[in-house]
Amino acid sequence: MDKEKMTPLPKIRSAVLHTAILLALALVSGCHVIYKPTGHEPDYYYVNPQKLLPTVGKVVLIELDNDSTYPQISADVTEALFQALQKKQVFSIETLSQSNSQWRSLQIDTRAPYSFEQLGTMRKTLNCNAILTGVVTAYQPYPHLSIGLRFKLIDLSDGQLLWAFEQIWDTTDKTTEKRIKDYFQAQIRSEITPLHEQLVVVSSLKFVKFVAYEVAKTM
């Protein structure tokens, strides 16, 4: 990936941005792109068809980078995604905070490609088979609650891209509103009320859990 930050584009151009990024990375990594431009699933993600995610083994989730002006949001998303992936049980997962001495010693740059030497060092130091990195590309709290995320899962044995995801969620969007309803139907067995759904669009932490749930579903 390019070291330069990718400036979030207006929502009407987000689909074009996602498609271009995924196609470019797919050509480089040999991945198959899976995209869903309509419906109620996250719109764009891709996986490596030559490697099954359940066979990856242990994954370390690196605390997300943060391009927003809200420092706490990266830690909140990291923790929510960790919990969502634990429930999914696709692979064993641990987290690594950017305040951790191991992170500092490895000098992990989530925006840059890694050399084979770096891959080997990370694999040995973190005692894992793959790393999951990402960035909060944008975030706005209530009343216009929205967030943009970008992720990539990298096999430390050979540097191949195993999975990647990019999405923008906006609570004023009708499709996102439908996804929130689907989320509650999947997560809450009791009667769903408008109040439950409203909590997601006013509570940052609940919204982040909803977003993490959607990301985990693509695995």
Side-chain angles (χ1 to χ4, degrees):
M1 297 289 290
D2 198 326
K3 290 184 179 181
E4 296 181 357
K5 294 182 179 179
M6 301 183 68
T7 303
L9 298 182
K11 185 180 175 183
I12 59 174
R13 297 176 58 193
S14 63
V16 176
L17 170 65
H18 294 165
T19 303
I21 291 173
L22 294 178
L23 288 175
L25 287 176
L27 289 173
V28 172
S29 63
C31 293
H32 285 177
V33 177
I34 302 174
Y35 60 96
K36 299 181 179 181
T38 61
H40 307 305
E41 296 294 321
D43 288 340
Y44 296 94
Y45 64 96
Y46 56 93
V47 294
N48 189 325
Q50 299 176 349
K51 296 191 177 184
L52 299 176
L53 293 183
T55 66
V56 171
K58 180 181 175 183
V59 174
V60 169
L61 168 60
I62 309 297
E63 181 181 337
L64 272 61
D65 286 340
N66 190 356
D67 287 347
S68 80
T69 57
Y70 298 87
Q72 183 60 33
I73 191 63
S74 58
D76 290 344
V77 174
T78 302
E79 178 60 25
L81 182 58
F82 169 68
Q83 293 179 10
L85 289 175
Q86 275 193 316
K87 292 178 181 178
K88 193 73 174 176
Q89 296 183 328
V90 180
F91 37 64
S92 172
I93 187 164
E94 294 181 1
T95 58
L96 180 67
S97 168
Q98 292 193 8
S99 63
N100 189 289
S101 59
Q102 284 186 324
W103 183 90
R104 292 196 299 269
S105 67
L106 291 170
Q107 297 182 336
I108 299 173
D109 184 353
T110 61
R111 305 171 193 271
Y114 305 113
S115 67
F116 282 108
E117 181 179 358
Q118 288 175 306
L119 294 171
T121 300
M122 285 190 284
R123 187 177 187 183
K124 181 179 180 180
T125 302
L126 300 178
N127 188 30
C128 65
N129 306 104
I131 57 170
L132 176 54
T133 66
V135 56
V136 178
T137 58
Y139 174 71
Q140 287 294 326
Y142 184 81
H144 190 166
L145 192 54
S146 62
I147 192 168
L149 299 175
R150 183 188 307 136
F151 295 101
K152 56 184 178 180
L153 179 64
I154 301 172
D155 190 331
L156 294 181
S157 66
D158 54 17
Q160 286 195 39
L161 192 62
L162 299 174
W163 167 91
F165 180 99
E166 179 157 357
Q167 180 69 21
I168 297 172
W169 293 262
D170 187 332
T171 55
T172 65
D173 180 75
K174 291 298 182 182
T175 301
T176 302
E177 181 181 345
K178 179 62 173 65
R179 289 175 181 170
I180 290 172
K181 291 181 180 180
D182 292 345
Y183 167 71
F184 272 107
Q185 289 174 354
Q187 297 297 303
I188 302 177
R189 296 184 182 276
S190 59
E191 183 180 356
I192 307 302
T193 67
L195 177 59
H196 286 141
E197 296 165 11
Q198 187 64 23
L199 284 174
V200 177
V201 299
V202 299
S203 167
S204 294
L205 289 178
K206 289 185 181 298
F207 180 61
V208 165
K209 288 184 178 181
F210 154 69
V211 166
Y213 166 80
E214 285 216 316
V215 174
K217 276 201 305 183
T218 68
M219 292 191 180

